[in-house]
Amino acid sequence: MKDHQTNHNDVLTTMCAVGRPLSMIVGPPQRGVGPLPTARLIVDKATRDRIVIFDPSLAPHLRRLVRSADVRPWYCETPRYLIVLTPEWMAATFGAGANATQLWERCPPLWQRLAPAAARYGSNETWWSLNIRDAALFAQPRIVWSAASVAPRFALTEPGWLAGPGTCHAPGSFFLLGILMSRQAWRALTIECRAGNVYRLLPERVGQLPVPEANDADRATVESLAQRIATLAHERAVLERQFTQRLVKDFGPPGATPGVCLERWWDLTFDALRSAITERFGGDIPARFREQWAAQHADAVARRVALSDTIALAEDALNTRVERLYGVAE
């Protein structure tokens, strides 16, 4: 145990000698937006579209919201939006005496979403008016991560996206994404952030991670690799989702979900896929379509394998480059 701790200390000492803490480079990381007065301020795309179609001027006030579950290794996808009606917007739109009636008259679809929560608040209380501290920070891409995780899950957001409850964030770039997603950075974070069976990646702890100095060539290489991996990881996720959706659409009843087995269709042989469809939806692939589906399944599996292999090679190259920057390359 003593030797293990000594090795940990040596790793951190070596990393600190060649870099400065993340918080000194980009500023202190922060927690995501929250807590919210009501979950009804979070809406799906269909609700967002109904509100914006009725009142297009509200479009800038429904902002993409990245929740903890939306953060994947290298990328994030979010189907949710946060209704952001700031006190400044309320005052400029309705004057000092803003109330629910004015909000209803301006956009009934918006108020229909918020009305069920209104009973918990006073009639003159503008509880739906959300004040996001330093909202201008989100105008630029941010590195975002889950505050609790069992594996490295850092991603770079699009400009304007908000980091939601359960996440943390810091100013971002593909260079920093590559550093944070590297094997060496995760090794350091697991030393400092372990809490039982998970890692508590609190802003102040991640902010202490040393970021290595890098010349222009090394920085460009790390940036290029990180951007390529992020693109490939997202492409793989789209492939997985689209094939899963086709399975559910073609073989499941309305409103069906794929279940755990079919969500990992790439791990199944075609015969196992047929069995999983039968077990989940109560019917096999019709005989006249089996040859077609067998070919489509094989093609999708092959494409996913190719993407995964390419990602693995790029991650190996990235890890080697970052370890050299930290001075710990074997």
Side-chain angles (χ1 to χ4, degrees):
M1 178 64 71
K2 184 176 180 180
D3 290 342
H4 184 64
Q5 184 63 46
T6 299
N7 183 56
H8 280 182
N9 292 338
D10 289 345
V11 167
L12 291 175
T13 299
T14 299
M15 293 174 66
C16 289
V18 296
R20 294 181 296 153
L22 177 68
S23 60
M24 290 183 62
I25 296 173
V26 299
Q30 301 179 31
R31 291 184 179 273
V33 173
L36 303 175
T38 172
R40 297 196 71 81
L41 286 167
I42 301 176
V43 300
D44 59 18
K45 187 177 186 301
T47 303
R48 179 262 180 200
D49 290 347
R50 285 196 297 272
I51 293 170
V52 171
I53 288 172
F54 190 92
D55 187 346
S57 71
L58 286 172
H61 302 283
L62 287 100
R63 305 273 296 274
R64 288 273 194 176
L65 183 73
V66 179
R67 303 163 302 165
S68 176
D70 300 326
V71 183
R72 314 292 173 82
W74 293 107
Y75 74 98
C76 58
E77 289 185 309
T78 173
R80 303 293 175 180
Y81 295 78
L82 180 64
I83 299 171
V84 183
L85 305 179
T86 64
E88 295 77 14
W89 180 83
M90 294 295 297
T93 304
F94 300 116
N99 56 53
T101 300
Q102 291 169 305
L103 202 59
W104 165 261
E105 292 174 346
R106 180 183 179 91
C107 186
L110 172 62
W111 185 247
Q112 287 168 4
R113 172 65 188 178
L114 300 180
R120 301 198 299 270
Y121 299 90
S123 59
N124 294 322
E125 186 178 358
T126 56
W127 51 268
W128 58 83
S129 181
L130 180 65
N131 184 17
I132 298 179
R133 186 182 62 221
D134 298 328
L137 291 176
F138 296 103
Q140 301 299 323
R142 310 286 291 183
I143 296 285
V144 63
W145 65 92
S146 174
S149 186
V150 296
R153 286 193 295 138
F154 295 86
L156 190 63
T157 69
E158 298 288 337
W161 289 18
L162 303 176
T167 68
C168 306
H169 61 95
S173 66
F174 279 110
F175 174 75
L176 289 177
L177 178 62
I179 296 298
L180 287 165
M181 280 297 294
S182 71
R183 180 171 52 211
Q184 188 62 27
W186 184 245
R187 186 179 300 163
L189 290 172
T190 57
I191 294 171
E192 297 295 321
C193 302
R194 189 173 191 85
N197 294 325
V198 301
Y199 299 103
R200 300 288 295 172
L201 303 175
L202 303 178
E204 56 272 19
R205 290 184 174 177
V206 176
Q208 291 304 306
L209 178 75
V211 176
E213 298 289 341
N215 59 37
D216 290 345
D218 285 332
R219 181 175 292 272
T221 298
V222 171
E223 287 179 348
S224 177
L225 286 168
Q227 187 169 14
R228 176 165 172 73
I229 296 168
T231 299
L232 292 169
H234 184 260
E235 183 178 343
R236 182 175 62 184
V238 170
L239 170 65
E240 293 170 356
R241 181 172 63 250
Q242 289 179 342
F243 195 85
T244 303
Q245 289 172 343
R246 286 191 58 209
L247 289 172
V248 174
K249 179 180 178 181
D250 284 12
F251 305 114
T257 58
V260 175
C261 191
L262 287 178
E263 281 184 340
R264 295 188 62 82
W265 49 263
W266 56 88
D267 289 334
L268 304 176
T269 65
F270 184 64
D271 287 342
L273 180 72
R274 287 176 53 197
S275 297
I277 290 172
T278 300
E279 181 177 349
R280 185 68 178 175
F281 303 132
D284 195 359
I285 299 175
R288 66 183 183 277
F289 296 129
R290 286 174 193 164
E291 183 176 352
Q292 175 186 350
W293 266 98
Q296 292 174 346
H297 178 247
D299 177 68
V301 170
R303 285 190 288 141
R304 190 186 181 280
V305 168
L307 286 168
S308 297
D309 288 347
T310 305
I311 290 170
L313 288 172
E315 287 179 331
D316 285 344
L318 175 78
N319 285 324
T320 298
R321 181 69 60 144
V322 172
E323 286 170 359
R324 288 175 182 169
L325 291 177
Y326 277 121
V328 295
E330 296 180 357

